[in-house]
Amino acid sequence: MSFSTLTCPSCGSEVKQYRNPFPTVDIIIELESGIVLIDRRNEPLGWALPGGFVDYGESLESAAVREAREETSLEISNLRLLGCYSDPARDERMHTISAVYIATGRGIPHAADDALNLAVFRLDSLPERLCFDHARILADYAATFANNHRLLPSG
C-alpha cells in the first residue's frame, strides 16, 4: 500500500495519506449492427468504450448502467462481466482499475455527457486509435466470442 504523510493544520500531527487506484467501469454495448464507441469530449481524446468512475456508495453494475445511459442514451440489459483490467499504466491520468461489462443496448444511441460523438462499429472495422487499453479489451472480447458471435467478421 502506498502512502505519504501530511501534517494536520490544526494539531500538527502527521496523518497518513493513502493512495489507492480509482474504480471504473467500461461497457461493451452490443447492438444488432455492432458495438458502441464514444468519441471522448475530454482528455485523453479519441475513441473509447463508454464508461467512467464509480461513485461512492454505488455498485459496479449500477455504475455501468448509469454511465451507459449518460454517455450513449441507451438502456442496457443482460449485463455480464468480461473481466477486470488493472495495469497501472492503462490510464495516463491516474491508476484506475476497470470492471469491464458486456451488455445488450436498447434505444437509439445518442452522444451525451462526456461523449462528443458516438458510432457503432463491427469488430472488423474498429477505429485505429482507441483510448486507454480499450484495444486490448476489445481483442479479449473478440477472442472470447470468436466462434459464436454475430459482431465478428463472417467467413
Side-chain angles (χ1 to χ4, degrees), residues 99-120:
V100 179
Y101 289 95
I102 304 165
T104 304
R106 190 175 66 255
I108 299 171
H110 174 74
D113 194 36
D114 294 337
L116 180 63
N117 195 3
L118 67 71
V120 178

Side-chain angles (χ1 to χ4, degrees), residues 24-28 49-52 90 98-102 133-134 137:
T24 65
V25 294
D26 292 299
I27 314 101
I28 298 169
L49 294 166
R90 70 177 303 273
S98 186
V100 179
Y101 289 95
I102 304 165
D133 57 353
H134 292 184
I137 291 168

